[in-house]
Amino acid sequence: MKQFYVLIGNFGSGKTEISLHIALDAAKRNKKVVMVDLDVINPYFRLAERKKEIEAAGIKLLHPNFAYATVDVPSLPPDIYSVFIDKSDVVVFDVGGDPAGATALGQYKPNFEAIEAGQLEAGQLQVLCVVNPRRPFSATAELVLDMLSKIQLRSRLSINGFINNGNLSTETTAEDLRLGYDVLKRVADTTGIPVLYTAGRAAPLREFLDGKPDARYIGQVLQITTYMHRDWDNFTRYGI
Amino acid sequence: MAKNLMKGCEAIAEAAIQAGCRYFFGYPITPQNDIPEYMSARMPKIGGCFLQAESEVAAINMVYGAAGAGARVMTSSSSPGISLKMEGISYIAGAELPCVIVNMMRGGPGLGSIQASQGDYFQTTKGGGHGDYHMIAYAPASVQEAIDLMQTAFDVADKYRTPVMVLADGIIGQMMEPVEIKENTGNAPKKDWATTGWKKGERARAVVNSLYIEVEDLEEMTERLQARYRQIEKDETLVECYNTDGAEFILCAYGTVARICKTAIAQLQKQGVKAGLVRPITVWPFPAKAVHDAMCAPGVKMALCVEISAGQMIEDVRLAVNGEREIAFLGHAGSRVPTAEEIAEKVLAMRGA
């Protein structure tokens, strides 16, 4: 059964990091995985930068034609359509940030509708909104709700669930996940859209879960390794 | 305010708002686009004005107008866009108006690259625009320092009625770090020179102008500016001396590169080599005395200047040292960032030589 994951959310919320986690995890389980870098917003910090590592893991990567070529021409290659008919098991769409980035998804609406209508197989599509309340314009339930409505409008897709990715990068504590939990609890209660995942590095994740938060707002736990984020000790290797 | 995870560009924009900036005029260019993007979301919510101008030239002239009317105003761009703003900056300096300009340097010349660079040092510190003017220029080495310097930039611009530049690079602009922004620290002084309308008997007419047809009049203005620049050199020069006491090697670098140098210094320390760093925080006024004193201290064997350029700041370092010591150089023109390992190796090679 083919599984589509579409990750959307605010700029810098951690979509690419979590996309990589989902894809690498599936590849480890011997699934045939395709990743789609659909970011037409940001020339930096994108999947295409990790092409070598992604392909080394046996994952196929599709990305905008000039991604990481330091050319600001965000044109999408036609072979992205192949993911809707190919023989892969898992497809991960890593979408550009903010409502502007979600616009690039709109053109695939008929294809996603075909999945939802069961013309492929039912229940295979998860459109996930990544939220980090420590990022600008995500700190409160009101801000997340505002972003949500704009992203749904632009992407022409309905969001199935949230990913709590509360973090302060290298300084993350359980408190950041708790803030994400509080914000998303309110959003979930208002919209009826569930929290499907809670993501974080091992230590803060464990401490947060030890506090016995209500399991209905946790979903599946994703313990992630950081692939994308640069700290000052490794950015000279990758550039920005 | 609690800590947040912000990109340098976003943090700089929010810091400007907290410093009382309510007017932003700009034009898109990578890698500073996150500044106008952020401003476009925030300004309408706080009664401020975000305007995407038709060009960089238009944007800087809007800054000129708003500054003349007494507003706390800023613009931002990246290297090629800053070149376009230079005429306006010279006019603003000539008209003695305060404003803040952020330059997220990218590779040059020409369109160059969208990666980081420090190739605009000459442009920033040696004029850029025409005429006998200077621009105070702050060079932050971290996102947090960029935030703190934004507040200083607006205050100092108002204090001396001069354009102030925050000279960062694509790395500072794009790196995401946990930071804290102080809320509402903005405290603009009363500006009785601003063109805000005139009533008889209230005050002299305010005039914003940089044209002086009479030679004597122009000289009076430029002498006033020069006296102000001497005052700024005396009171506003900022520098950090890191690990310089008893150091055998002194590095000199600013901005992002200075932070890389600190990692190199830690690596050298492990190998028993004591190196220190003198870091200009203002690149104009240049901290000539601090650089001289660090590099010419007894016990210092060698000095090295590190930049992401073909060698620009090194000219000021050499002037500061005035022949007392030979200054070696490590850098790359364009956008290749020197690594900590490369810097440490260079120091070790110099030591062996």
Side-chain angles (χ1 to χ4, degrees):
Chain A
M1 166 154 157
K2 196 163 171 177
Q3 183 74 43
F4 286 82
Y5 296 92
V6 178
L7 277 86
I8 55 179
N10 268 350
F11 189 47
S13 54
K15 297 176 295 297
T16 304
E17 201 77 79
I18 293 172
S19 296
L20 263 175
H21 175 87
I22 292 171
L24 289 170
D25 186 58
K28 266 183 219 146
R29 289 184 283 110
N30 295 319
K31 302 280 183 194
K32 221 173 152 216
V33 185
V34 184
M35 296 195 83
V36 183
D37 173 350
L38 207 66
D39 193 343
V40 293
I41 296 295
N42 193 352
Y44 309 108
F45 306 108
R46 56 183 314 141
L47 278 180
E49 286 175 27
R50 295 290 184 273
K51 196 179 173 92
K52 262 190 228 156
E53 292 92 324
I54 290 168
E55 288 178 348
I59 298 169
K60 183 175 172 187
L61 174 67
L62 300 170
H63 57 76
N65 291 319
F66 300 102
Y68 210 43
T70 64
V71 178
D72 288 347
V73 183
S75 77
L76 296 167
D79 37 336
I80 289 177
Y81 285 102
S82 69
V83 303
F84 296 102
I85 51 169
D86 67 12
K87 297 285 179 213
S88 55
D89 304 310
V90 174
V91 180
V92 185
F93 275 79
D94 178 25
V95 183
D98 293 355
T103 308
L105 263 181
Q107 62 191 295
Y108 305 107
K109 181 181 165 69
N111 308 82
F112 285 117
E113 273 176 350
I115 302 169
E116 285 183 314
Q119 288 163 8
L120 292 164
E121 276 176 74
Q124 306 160 305
L125 175 64
Q126 280 197 0
V127 183
L128 302 166
C129 180
V130 183
V131 177
N132 177 6
R134 296 296 188 199
R135 289 279 301 138
F137 310 119
S138 315
T140 63
E142 289 69 30
L143 286 166
V144 173
L145 286 166
D146 181 53
M147 177 258 302
L148 196 64
S149 65
K150 285 177 182 153
I151 283 187
Q152 295 198 116
L153 186 73
R154 295 282 194 94
S155 68
R156 305 166 73 200
L157 289 178
S158 301
I159 289 159
N160 307 119
F162 292 102
I163 301 181
N164 174 7
N165 187 36
N167 79 87
L168 261 182
S169 173
T170 50
E171 295 179 19
T172 305
T173 66
E175 204 44 52
D176 304 313
L177 283 161
R178 207 164 293 133
L179 179 67
Y181 170 85
D182 289 340
V183 168
L184 287 180
K185 185 170 184 287
R186 285 192 53 207
V187 175
D189 288 344
T190 310
T191 59
I193 302 172
V195 181
L196 290 181
Y197 298 92
T198 295
R201 296 186 204 187
L205 201 53
R206 199 177 317 117
E207 196 195 328
F208 165 64
L209 294 172
D210 283 349
K212 299 270 179 279
D214 187 340
R216 286 176 299 162
Y217 303 99
I218 298 294
Q220 201 179 317
V221 175
L222 298 179
Q223 187 185 310
I224 60 168
T225 312
T226 311
Y227 297 104
M228 293 304 295
H229 185 83
R230 318 276 203 288
D231 59 26
W232 282 88
D233 291 326
N234 70 17
F235 77 92
T236 46
R237 218 175 330 140
Y238 296 112
I240 41 177
Chain B
M1 201 185 250
K3 272 199 175 178
N4 277 303
L5 188 58
M6 294 180 99
K7 281 187 130 184
C9 283
E10 297 164 344
I12 277 174
E14 184 59 36
I17 288 169
Q18 295 302 336
C21 174
R22 287 296 177 274
Y23 297 86
F24 179 92
F25 308 106
Y27 188 80
I29 183 170
T30 307
Q32 62 85 52
N33 283 330
D34 322 69
I35 297 177
E37 181 71 14
Y38 190 94
M39 288 296 197
S40 71
R42 281 283 278 141
M43 281 299 192
K45 292 205 170 79
I46 51 167
C49 172
F50 163 85
L51 199 150
Q52 181 173 319
E54 62 269 40
S55 72
E56 285 87 347
V57 178
I60 192 69
N61 282 292
M62 290 172 187
V63 170
Y64 183 14
R72 276 207 157 168
V73 56
M74 74 173 279
T75 185
S76 65
S77 195
S78 181
S79 306
I82 295 290
S83 293
L84 285 164
K85 290 184 197 286
M86 277 301 159
E87 181 201 41
I89 293 172
S90 170
Y91 277 50
I92 291 167
E96 298 171 69
L97 295 175
C99 70
V100 174
I101 303 133
V102 176
N103 182 3
M104 288 294 171
M105 285 185 279
R106 62 186 251 178
L111 277 174
S113 78
I114 61 168
Q115 294 286 323
S117 169
Q118 294 185 325
D120 303 351
Y121 182 92
F122 284 155
Q123 184 191 52
T124 306
T125 62
K126 312 291 174 193
H130 58 279
D132 261 327
Y133 81 94
H134 282 294
M135 180 164 56
I136 301 169
Y138 295 101
S142 69
V143 176
Q144 186 64 56
E145 191 178 40
I147 291 168
D148 301 339
L149 287 174
M150 279 309 282
Q151 176 69 48
T152 310
F154 278 102
D155 290 344
V156 167
D158 278 341
K159 184 175 175 190
Y160 297 99
R161 292 175 60 182
T162 180
V164 172
M165 179 166 279
V166 173
L167 185 71
D169 60 60
I171 292 171
I172 299 276
Q174 294 297 320
M175 289 281 297
M176 218 186 260
E177 295 194 282
V179 292
E180 193 176 354
I181 301 179
K182 288 189 204 92
E183 267 175 86
N184 292 320
T185 42
N187 192 18
K190 197 167 176 294
K191 298 173 179 179
D192 55 7
W193 46 263
T195 52
T196 53
W198 179 79
K199 280 198 200 97
K200 202 174 178 185
E202 222 173 44
R203 62 168 185 183
R205 282 187 189 275
V207 177
V208 169
N209 173 49
S210 72
L211 176 64
Y212 297 86
I213 298 293
E214 297 293 335
V215 170
E216 292 75 15
D217 293 346
L218 179 61
E219 187 170 35
E220 189 194 315
M221 184 271 270
T222 52
E223 278 178 357
R224 186 167 64 240
L225 286 184
Q226 291 303 318
R228 202 173 293 165
Y229 296 146
R230 298 298 87 76
Q231 191 68 37
I232 291 169
E233 284 169 340
K234 192 168 148 284
D235 294 343
E236 306 300 337
T237 305
L238 295 177
V239 63
E240 181 196 11
C241 289
Y242 175 81
N243 235 23
T244 49
D245 285 347
E248 254 184 281
F249 286 88
I250 295 293
L251 306 176
C252 183
Y254 69 97
T256 295
V257 180
R259 197 156 161 181
I260 302 168
C261 283
K262 287 185 181 176
T263 307
I265 287 168
Q267 290 175 4
L268 287 163
Q269 189 98 43
K270 280 187 197 147
Q271 298 177 59
V273 179
K274 195 156 189 303
L277 170 76
V278 56
R279 174 173 76 96
I281 300 172
T282 49
V283 287
W284 194 89
F286 188 75
K289 187 176 183 304
V291 169
H292 169 274
D293 292 354
M295 289 190 160
C296 301
V300 173
K301 293 192 182 125
M302 285 169 195
L304 174 68
C305 186
V306 191
E307 301 176 53
I308 320 174
S309 78
Q312 299 194 8
M313 185 178 71
I314 191 170
E315 294 194 1
D316 282 335
V317 174
R318 286 186 173 135
L319 280 172
V321 169
N322 203 18
E324 279 182 54
R325 178 170 301 288
E326 201 175 312
I327 312 295
F329 180 72
L330 171 64
H332 307 291
S335 281
R336 193 150 73 79
V337 182
T339 63
E341 291 72 21
E342 190 184 0
I343 296 165
E345 269 168 33
K346 172 82 177 176
V347 168
L348 292 173
M350 284 166 65
R351 195 169 181 250

